[in-house]
Amino acid sequence: MAAAPVWSVDPRTGNPREQVAVESTPEEIDRVVRAAHAARTALADRGLRARLLRTAADLLDEAGEHVIEAADAETALGPVRLTGELARTTAQLRAFADVVDEGAYLDVRIDHADPDRTPPWPDLRRYKIPLGVVAVYAASNFPLAFSVPGGDTASALAAGCPVVVKAHPNHPAASELCASVLRRAAHAVGLPEDVVTIVHGFDAGVELVRHPLVAAAGFTGSVRGGRALFDAAAARPVPIPFHGELGSLNPVVVTEAAAAERAEQLGAGLAGSMTLGEGQFCTKPGLVLAPAGDEGDRLLKSLTAAVSQTEPGVMLDHRMRSAFVEGVRERAELPGVQAPITPGAGGEHTVNAGFLSVPARLLAAEGAHDLLLEECFGPVTVVARYASDAEITAVLGRLPGNLTATLHLSDAEAAGEGRGAELLAELTPLAGRVLVGGWPTGVAVAPAQHHGGPYPATTSAATSVGATAVERWLRPVAFQTTPEALLPPELRDDNPLGLPRRVDGRLAAEAS
């Protein structure tokens, strides 16, 4: 039986553009994973890894016009958005090259033997080594930054792990183009091209996570798809780490004092955040707790005006469009729910942004309105109008884990007056990134960033953005009473690689 074709589809029309590939067979998955596994030894050279990452960034920049054109044709995200995403992607690659050069991610720790301790210490030396082949599952909504050349791939390569990417069916042509660029970068620096390979097809994704030589996986997508792969990873004879980003409601709390101070600004800011990228950001604010009464009315009036000016947009594919239309219809039909701006179908291929409003008390206890506490992918948010602080607490107490949680305070509350600190304490357990002011869409690629959160936001405590994302693909190993001549260079007393490290409990710079 012939392998099924993989088509590139135009989301603006729903029409096929071109056949890009065929779905990968189990035999091909096995061949690709084994080739990646064989390439891992070459990646042991940290200098080559850093050169690979920088060369990949340079080649992506050189091919930028073609990459953006291919991605836009398959996602309808537009050249402006994709230009920014490409810049973010190449910045990630260069940032991880810097991480490799610095070497702190190896977390080198040396404790010399101390016979005077009770009990005595042996000589112990610890650092981190790569896990092996990493399976990366590309995201639908970020064809660059969270797909073939994205953060999972960049951080895995930085750790010394070869990567096999399962391309997302929404942008197979862009994925193939980006994979070819990364493979050219590997060849250019003298590494095997198989340090990065690409496969296609739903079944390929399942085969990949089950392959015995795959050592870890990174996923960005839906709760349903991610949980199925997570369960498959755990059910293997040898379970593997599965770092999945699945779904997030990203709650926002606006205090009454904040609304009184700047309701119009908050309404406009919320509209811009929830409609950004047609509401297809994983950090879209999907639930907003706003006050009942006049101050909340002013916020909703501003939100209504801003959302009314939003043009109909194209979602990533027609399946997502249908799910969005059905999802908002189900929510809007719940008792007590109002739709000041009705979200849903626009033209034949587009959707209209909108929002729903509901009394917060209806969400405070389990019941028919639980659907409003689930993510609805697309340009819609739910504004829950609270009448008391107790209702805020009750609703927050029912929320699952999230990537972000946002708190808007008045100037006085931000200075320490009122319940600001208490509300911040209530939000902190819910998310991996907590904002005071601003909006959660947009994730800075910075050393201190954390893009993750309690389940179902993610399946682990790790981040997929920022310097510490590399830690997902490493494991620590300690050497005890090992002769100097047999130690890895990273752990020798003379520190031939010049690595930052902690010696006898102190930073190396402090040790003499």
Side-chain angles (χ1 to χ4, degrees):
M1 180 173 159
V6 175
W7 288 90
S8 172
V9 176
D10 182 352
R12 295 178 173 95
T13 64
N15 296 328
R17 297 178 58 250
E18 59 177 330
Q19 182 179 335
V20 173
V22 295
E23 293 188 354
S24 304
T25 63
E27 294 76 18
E28 184 179 0
I29 297 296
D30 182 62
R31 178 186 62 77
V32 163
V33 172
R34 291 185 183 281
H37 183 71
R40 73 195 190 285
T41 303
L43 275 177
D45 187 318
R46 287 173 48 241
L48 276 181
R49 297 208 302 271
R51 286 177 55 201
L52 166 63
L53 293 165
R54 292 192 177 98
T55 301
D58 292 343
L59 293 180
L60 281 168
D61 281 338
E62 291 176 13
E65 181 179 347
H66 299 295
V67 169
I68 291 167
E69 181 181 8
D72 179 53
E74 295 181 308
T75 65
L77 290 173
V80 173
R81 149 71 193 275
L82 290 168
T83 297
E85 187 178 334
L86 178 60
R88 172 203 175 101
T89 302
T90 56
Q92 281 183 150
L93 289 162
R94 294 185 177 103
F96 280 114
D98 293 341
V99 168
V100 174
D101 282 342
E102 182 192 56
Y105 73 97
L106 293 168
D107 194 21
V108 177
R109 295 170 183 261
I110 297 175
D111 292 323
H112 292 102
D114 186 350
D116 295 329
R117 282 184 175 267
T118 305
W121 277 6
D123 186 276
L124 286 166
R125 297 162 189 246
R126 178 186 187 272
Y127 79 142
K128 293 181 179 179
I129 62 174
L131 290 175
V133 178
V134 170
V136 170
Y137 294 81
S140 64
N141 55 343
F142 282 85
L144 306 176
F146 284 86
S147 292
V148 175
D152 284 354
T153 297
S155 58
L157 292 173
C161 297
V163 173
V164 179
V165 183
K166 206 291 279 184
H168 197 280
N170 278 11
H171 40 79
S175 296
E176 284 283 349
L177 176 56
C178 290
S180 71
V181 171
L182 296 186
R183 289 170 67 85
R184 280 198 293 120
H187 179 77
V189 303
L191 284 167
E193 292 185 354
D194 287 330
V195 296
V196 179
T197 48
I198 185 173
V199 297
H200 295 272
F202 176 84
D203 291 340
V206 178
E207 289 286 337
L208 190 57
V209 80
R210 290 175 175 168
H211 196 285
L213 293 180
V214 168
F219 171 91
T220 303
S222 69
V223 173
R224 180 180 179 184
R227 183 55 193 257
L229 291 171
F230 175 72
D231 290 346
R236 290 168 37 130
V238 179
I240 59 172
F242 183 90
H243 301 286
E245 180 189 321
L246 310 187
S248 186
L249 196 60
N250 305 304
V252 176
V253 175
V254 179
T255 67
E256 186 172 6
E261 196 170 84
R262 57 184 191 282
E264 289 74 20
Q265 177 186 340
L266 289 169
L270 173 58
S273 184
M274 55 144 303
T275 61
L276 186 65
E278 305 308 327
Q280 297 172 120
F281 276 50
C282 53
T283 52
K284 179 199 76 176
L287 175 70
V288 181
L289 282 155
D294 293 343
E295 309 303 352
D297 290 345
R298 285 173 52 218
L299 190 155
L300 259 64
K301 182 178 179 181
S302 173
L303 175 63
T304 300
V307 173
S308 297
Q309 296 173 12
T310 304
E311 295 292 329
V314 176
M315 294 190 69
L316 292 163
D317 64 32
H318 281 57
R319 177 185 58 83
M320 292 182 187
R321 176 184 179 276
S322 297
F324 169 73
V325 172
E326 178 62 18
V328 295
R329 183 194 63 78
E330 289 180 337
R331 288 163 172 81
E333 290 179 351
L334 294 172
V337 174
Q338 297 179 335
I341 297 290
T342 304
E348 183 180 357
H349 307 291
T350 61
V351 296
N352 291 322
F355 71 95
L356 306 175
S357 178
V358 63
R361 59 180 172 76
L362 297 180
L363 306 180
E366 184 176 352
H369 293 80
D370 288 357
L371 185 61
L372 297 175
L373 302 181
E374 297 178 13
E375 179 185 16
C376 186
F377 195 69
V380 63
T381 195
V382 175
V383 180
R385 307 288 301 274
Y386 64 84
S388 66
D389 291 343
E391 287 185 1
I392 298 177
T393 297
V395 174
L396 293 180
R398 301 203 58 233
L399 298 187
N402 292 271
L403 293 170
T404 73
T406 302
L407 178 60
H408 283 281
L409 302 171
S410 68
D411 290 342
E413 289 171 325
E417 298 180 14
R419 290 190 67 224
E422 183 180 339
L423 287 169
L424 189 63
E426 290 183 30
L427 287 172
T428 299
L430 298 178
R433 177 164 59 104
V434 182
L435 298 81
V436 179
W439 299 98
T441 38
V443 184
V445 182
Q449 184 60 272
H450 187 85
H451 187 62
Y455 186 86
T458 52
T459 59
S460 72
T463 179
S464 61
V465 179
T468 54
V470 71
E471 296 173 1
R472 296 174 295 169
W473 321 120
L474 299 162
R475 72 172 180 88
V477 59
F479 292 84
Q480 181 170 327
T481 59
T482 303
E484 179 89 1
L486 302 183
L487 283 169
E490 293 86 351
L491 298 179
R492 294 175 186 166
D493 280 332
D494 61 352
N495 195 11
L497 303 179
L499 294 171
R501 51 197 198 163
R502 189 171 287 274
V503 179
D504 294 330
R506 294 179 295 168
L507 292 176
E510 302 172 3
S512 59

